Amino acid sequence: MWSSPLTVPGWDTVRRAARLHVQGVREHFIEQIGAHDLEVLGEAMDAVRRHLTGKDTEVA
């Protein structure tokens, strides 16, 4: 994996996009499903994370 530094204008763009992204996820995803379903989704994503990382530890 490689990385490259972002310029100040690049970081500003990331910040603006992040706000819009979070707003969209909240509106179109989080608010549309119940707490139980979010918990189940979290458990499913934990299983995927464990598979991909080979780590069987909880994440805070």
Side-chain angles (χ1 to χ4, degrees):
M1 188 160 114
W2 58 274
S3 65
S4 179
L6 282 176
T7 63
V8 171
W11 272 116
D12 290 342
T13 300
V14 169
R15 285 187 195 99
R16 284 192 307 274
R19 284 192 294 267
L20 181 60
H21 172 73
V22 168
Q23 178 185 355
V25 170
R26 184 176 294 126
E27 179 182 344
H28 301 293
F29 184 75
I30 302 298
E31 293 176 359
Q32 306 307 315
I33 61 178
H36 172 74
D37 291 334
L38 282 175
E39 186 175 331
V40 171
L41 178 61
E43 292 170 4
M45 293 297 98
D46 279 344
V48 172
R49 177 191 49 80
R50 287 190 302 271
H51 168 72
L52 293 173
T53 64
K55 298 178 182 177
D56 197 23
T57 57
E58 292 290 323
V59 182

